[in-house]
C-alpha cells in the first residue's frame, strides 16, 4: 500500500506516520527528516537545502524529488510506504506520477491554523534519530532525552513562532492545492486531527482501511 500523509506543519502527520507504519509494516518516509539528516551530514543536497529550511521555505523541487526518488527505490519500500511531507507542491505530485508510482490513498490530517500555532511551541525533535515529540502530547520518558536512541531532544530552529506563521502561509499557497489534485483522482480522505494522538490514530487507520 502506497500512502501519502498530507497536512499543515504541526498537524501531526509525522507522528501519525510513525504509528501507522508500524501497524502496516511499511516504512514511513519523511522528506523533512531526510533533509535534516542531509544538512547534519553536510551532503550536497543538505547544503542546497539548509537556507530554505531555516527560513521555513520549501526546498526547491528538484532537490527534494531527487532525494525521494532514490529513497523509494530502496528494498524496504518495495511493499509500500507512507510519504510524510512529500509531495508538497503540484510539481512534486506530478513528478511522482511520472515516476509511475501508484498512490492508493492520500490521508489529509486537518487541524485549524490556530490550533497549530498553539501546538508548535511544544514540539521537539531528536538530534540523533529524528524521532518527534511534544512536551505535552507526546513527552519523552526522561526529560530532554530520546526514548528510542538516548540522544538529546531539542526544538527545531524552524519551529520559532515567526517561522511557523510563514510555513503555514506556504502550506496554504503551495501544498493545500494538492487536496484538489488528489480529490480529482478520487484518492483524498480527510481526517480531523484530535488533541489526543491515539484518537487521531484510530481515525487515520479507519480511513486507510475504509
Ligand atoms: P513540517 O511538516 O513540520 O513542516 P518537515 O519535517 O516535513 O516539517 O519539513 C521541514 C522542512 O523541510 C520544510 O519546512 C521544508 O523546508 C523542507 N521540506 C520537507 N519536505 C519537503 C518537500 N517535499 N518539498 C520542499 N521542502 C520540503
Ligand atoms: Zn533519537
Amino acid at each position: 500500500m502506497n500512502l501519502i500523509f498530507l497536512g499543515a506543519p504541526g498537524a501531526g502527520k509525522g507522528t501519525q506516520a510513525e504509528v501507522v507504519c508500524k501497524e502496516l509494516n511499511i516504512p514511513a518516509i519523511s522528506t523533512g527528516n531526510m533533509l535534516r539528516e542531509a544538512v547534519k551530514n553536510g551532503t550536497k543536497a543538505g547544503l542546497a537545502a539548509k537556507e530554505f529550511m531555516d527560513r521555513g521555505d520549501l526546498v526547491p523541487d528538484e532537490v527534494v524529488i531527487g532525494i525521494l526518488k532514490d529513497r523509494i527505490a530502496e528494498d524496504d519500500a518495495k511493499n509500500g510506504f507512507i510519504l510524510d511531507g512529500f509531495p508538497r507542491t503540484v510539481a512534486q505530485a506530478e513528478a511522482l506520477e511520472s515516476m509511475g508510482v501508484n498512490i492508493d490513498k492520500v490521508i489529509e490530517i486537518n487541524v485549524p491554523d490556530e490550533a497549530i500555532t498553539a501546538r508548535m511551541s511544544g514540539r521537539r525533535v531528536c538530534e540523533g534519530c529524528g524521532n518527534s515529540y511534544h512536551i505535552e502530547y507526546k513527552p519523552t520518558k526522561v526529560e530532554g532525552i530520546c526514548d528510542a536512541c538516548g540522544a538529546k531532544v531539542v526544538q527545531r530552529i524552524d519551529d520559532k513562532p515567526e517561522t511557523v506563521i510563514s510555513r503555514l502561509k506556504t502550506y496554504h499557497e503551495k501544498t493545500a492545492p494538492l487536496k484538489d489534485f488528489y480529490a480529482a483522482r478520487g484518492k483524498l480522505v480527510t481526517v480531523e486531527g484530535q488533541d489526543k494522538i491515539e484518537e487521531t490514530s484510530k481515525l487515520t487507520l479507519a480511513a486507510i482501511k475504509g
Side-chain angles (χ1 to χ4, degrees):
M1 179 131 59
N2 296 337
L3 301 168
I4 291 172
F5 281 20
L6 191 66
K13 61 186 181 315
T15 306
Q16 292 306 322
E18 283 171 24
V19 173
V20 172
C21 74
K22 290 195 190 96
E23 202 73 33
L24 302 180
N25 204 18
I26 51 178
I29 298 178
S30 157
T31 43
N33 285 356
M34 290 168 73
L35 287 166
R36 276 186 289 279
E37 188 68 25
V39 169
K40 200 170 77 182
N41 296 334
T43 66
K44 194 161 160 259
L47 293 174
K50 188 179 187 321
E51 52 169 321
F52 296 95
M53 296 179 75
D54 288 351
R55 280 202 305 266
D57 287 340
L58 293 183
V59 172
D61 286 333
E62 59 277 16
V63 176
V64 192
I65 291 167
I67 292 185
L68 193 272
K69 192 171 183 191
D70 292 345
R71 179 63 187 88
I72 58 177
E74 284 175 34
D75 263 358
D76 67 335
K78 289 282 183 287
N79 295 321
F81 47 74
I82 298 173
L83 298 184
D84 159 24
F86 185 98
R88 250 173 158 104
T89 61
V90 171
Q92 291 177 17
E94 286 168 348
L96 201 56
E97 285 190 342
S98 59
M99 289 174 212
V101 174
N102 179 57
I103 297 299
D104 295 289
K105 273 186 186 167
V106 177
I107 310 293
E108 181 215 354
I109 302 186
N110 182 44
V111 174
D113 283 6
E114 306 77 67
I116 287 184
T117 40
R119 268 189 202 180
M120 290 296 249
S121 59
R123 291 223 301 187
R124 298 292 182 272
V125 64
C126 171
E127 284 184 333
C129 69
N131 269 12
S132 56
Y133 296 94
H134 192 284
I135 52 174
E136 194 180 336
Y137 302 113
K138 192 191 171 191
T140 51
K141 292 200 184 81
V142 180
E143 202 186 312
I145 302 294
C146 177
D147 295 351
C149 78
K152 218 165 76 182
V153 164
V154 297
Q155 185 163 35
R156 277 165 44 179
I157 346 177
D158 61 345
D159 276 352
K160 287 185 302 220
E162 321 81 88
T163 320
V164 168
I165 290 167
S166 123
R167 285 161 65 204
L168 279 171
K169 191 162 165 276
T170 304
Y171 175 75
H172 291 295
E173 283 173 13
K174 307 260 174 66
T175 309
L178 291 176
K179 290 190 255 178
D180 285 343
F181 182 95
Y182 286 114
R185 287 156 176 75
K187 311 275 184 187
L188 185 74
V189 190
T190 298
V191 167
E192 294 301 327
Q194 309 293 309
D195 273 345
K196 284 213 169 65
I197 291 169
E198 310 82 75
E199 295 300 319
T200 311
S201 299
K202 273 187 211 152
L203 297 173
T204 303
L205 285 165
I208 291 167
K209 285 167 184 165

